[in-house]
Amino acid sequence: MNDTPGWASPGSAPSDGHEPGASGPAEPAARPDTAKPAQQPEDNPQDAGSKWSQEQPPPGQWSAPTAPTGPATPGQSPPPPPPGPGWGTQPPAGPPGGYSPPPGWGGGYNGWGGPPPAAKPGVIPLRPLGVGEILDGAVSTMRTYWRTVLGISLTVAVVTEVLVILLQGLVLNDSAGTEALNDPSASVDELTRALGETMLGSTVVFLISLIGTVAATALLTTVTSRAVLGRPVTTGEAWRDARPQVPRLFGLIFLLLLITFGLLAVGALPGILVAAAGSNGGGIALAILGLLGAGVVALWLMIRFSLASPALMLEKQSIVRSMNRSTKLVRGSWWRVLGIQLLAGLIANIVAAIVVIPFTFLAAALSGEGVGGFVNGTSDLGWTFLIISGIGSVIGSMITFPISAGVTVLLYIDQRIRREALDLELARAAGVQDYGTGPTPGS
């Protein structure tokens, strides 16, 4: 992007798990009261002004020669006298080493309350982010730039849902297949045919929804990256900026899906071969175990590649290089990235379900055999049901698209801040003056 930091030229620091500034702070200067005492002159018995005893204590036990302040209790040593002027003067209050905050660190920092708040030109502060800040940044982007965000989400959701409704209403609305699946006396051929048609229809609907999700992610990635700098962007600007990378983004998503389904097929293949050889029970169990193992591997890979999409869109990388970038950025933070992605997906889907479920039951009540037929699976999905439930799906997509895309982009930015000091580039691009140029504590 023209007005964003050097996305296309990632930081020179290697993404190998070492964070900038990981070295320990410099050793503080010695405190005045623990410094090595100055060497005292030797005794001079001829010095008339000397008040010291001829047999002095060791240097580390010297104390000011003052008279006791009161009578001592018999058999008990008198308490040590208080230090006189110039003896053992206490250092001023402050951190160890006498550190005082340098100029330019903002008001209110007294050396004990931690560093001042980071610069925040946009929806996030320019420093490593917490989980709540990432979620809040995604929601703040949607709230601050709601015209652009909801406009993109609404357009993509409407186009996608119209295609799905037309496909389900004109092509995939085969009541014979539904009846065969609900009929206990149906033959194996009928069940196989009905199951194949159902899976084909679900796959087509999934691919259409995936295309819409990819398009929304591409456009919302641009919006979120500008929101970090506090700069608005229109839908037209987002499309012009994202359009050159959209074909590569589709290729990336297709490759990730191919890897996922390939792993699942390889995991289930031994069980399928055993079942085909005649051992049905053992083959099914082996296939289930294989699918579970392949699913774990697929999940591990998908999290490693989860930041490839923003790397491809913002750094203008190729498909393979964006996957390598994601691998380096996620290395050492796999569990953290997984947890944040799961939490964001859970929140987005719960909010979307709160909207979609009432529309689904309303559509079932106004069409076919009512809610009872819909629950039992015997209701025919007519146009009324498809249109009303489609409206609920559009509203739900308007919520899930911005949250999912925003969290992914902010995770990518957070990992680059932690590993490559991207906050310096962001501050420069946002016009923050003197960011990162002042002295640091302990230096």
Side-chain angles (χ1 to χ4, degrees):
M1 292 180 290
N2 295 330
D3 57 348
T4 51
W7 302 110
S9 56
S12 58
S15 299
D16 56 356
H18 298 286
E19 301 179 6
S23 60
E27 290 293 332
R31 294 178 61 93
D33 54 350
T34 59
K36 182 178 180 180
Q39 184 175 3
Q40 301 293 335
E42 296 181 355
D43 297 335
N44 186 2
Q46 298 179 357
D47 187 359
S50 174
K51 296 183 179 179
W52 296 96
S53 170
Q54 292 295 330
E55 296 182 1
Q56 300 177 5
Q61 299 179 6
W62 287 0
S63 60
T66 57
T69 57
T73 305
Q76 182 179 1
S77 301
W87 293 86
T89 304
Q90 297 297 321
Y99 171 73
S100 59
W105 276 67
Y109 175 48
N110 58 6
W112 291 98
K120 188 177 180 181
V123 295
I124 60 170
L126 300 184
R127 55 169 172 75
L129 305 175
V131 178
E133 290 171 327
I134 292 176
L135 297 174
D136 180 70
V139 176
S140 296
T141 301
M142 182 170 55
R143 184 177 63 248
T144 305
Y145 307 101
W146 63 271
R147 289 186 178 87
T148 303
V149 171
L150 295 184
I152 292 173
S153 302
L154 178 62
T155 302
V156 174
V158 168
V159 173
T160 302
E161 198 61 33
V162 167
L163 292 177
V164 170
I165 290 174
L166 292 176
L167 186 64
Q168 290 179 334
L170 299 176
V171 180
L172 303 178
N173 191 11
D174 187 3
S175 58
T178 304
E179 293 176 357
L181 291 176
N182 295 327
D183 187 5
S185 61
S187 63
V188 176
D189 293 337
E190 292 176 346
L191 290 175
T192 303
R193 175 178 172 274
L195 184 61
E197 292 177 351
T198 302
M199 293 182 62
L200 178 61
S202 301
T203 302
V204 173
V205 172
F206 171 76
L207 290 177
I208 294 176
S209 302
L210 179 63
I211 292 174
T213 303
V214 170
T217 301
L219 297 174
L220 293 173
T221 296
T222 302
V223 176
T224 305
S225 65
R226 300 282 186 92
V228 170
L229 303 176
R231 296 176 180 176
V233 57
T234 64
T235 304
E237 292 173 345
W239 170 245
R240 285 194 299 269
D241 200 29
R243 181 174 55 189
Q245 294 296 106
V246 170
R248 290 182 179 179
L249 183 60
F250 277 108
L252 173 65
I253 300 300
F254 176 77
L255 180 59
L256 294 179
L257 289 175
L258 187 63
I259 293 174
T260 301
F261 286 115
L263 287 173
L264 294 177
V266 170
L269 183 60
I272 295 175
L273 294 178
V274 171
S279 178
N280 293 331
I284 293 176
L286 185 60
I288 293 175
L289 290 177
L291 286 174
L292 290 176
V296 172
V297 177
L299 176 63
W300 178 73
L301 287 177
M302 289 305 103
I303 297 301
R304 284 176 64 88
F305 298 144
S306 61
L307 303 183
S309 173
L312 184 144
M313 295 300 301
L314 297 178
E315 298 181 20
K316 312 300 181 186
Q317 298 274 14
S318 64
I319 295 176
V320 176
R321 288 186 177 181
S322 64
M323 294 172 70
N324 290 334
R325 284 285 291 150
S326 177
T327 299
K328 292 179 180 179
L329 292 174
V330 175
R331 183 181 301 155
S333 303
W334 190 91
W335 287 104
R336 179 174 182 270
V337 174
L338 171 65
I340 294 176
Q341 293 278 27
L342 286 179
L343 180 60
L346 181 64
I347 293 174
N349 284 283
I350 288 177
V351 175
I354 294 175
V355 176
V356 172
I357 291 177
F359 277 90
T360 302
F361 279 95
L362 178 62
L366 298 177
S367 62
E369 301 177 6
V371 178
F374 171 75
V375 173
N376 296 327
T378 59
S379 177
D380 186 15
L381 302 181
W383 288 104
T384 302
F385 178 88
L386 293 176
I387 292 174
I388 296 178
S389 61
I391 294 174
S393 298
V394 168
I395 299 175
S397 298
M398 290 174 60
I399 300 173
T400 57
F401 284 163
I403 294 179
S404 300
V407 167
T408 301
V409 174
L410 294 179
L411 258 176
Y412 159 82
I413 294 175
D414 174 59
Q415 289 300 111
R416 286 197 61 182
I417 288 176
R418 293 172 181 270
R419 297 179 181 273
E420 300 172 356
L422 182 65
D423 53 325
L424 301 179
E425 284 289 322
L426 293 174
R428 179 194 58 79
V432 179
Q433 299 296 327
D434 300 329
Y435 182 86
T437 59
T440 57
S443 62

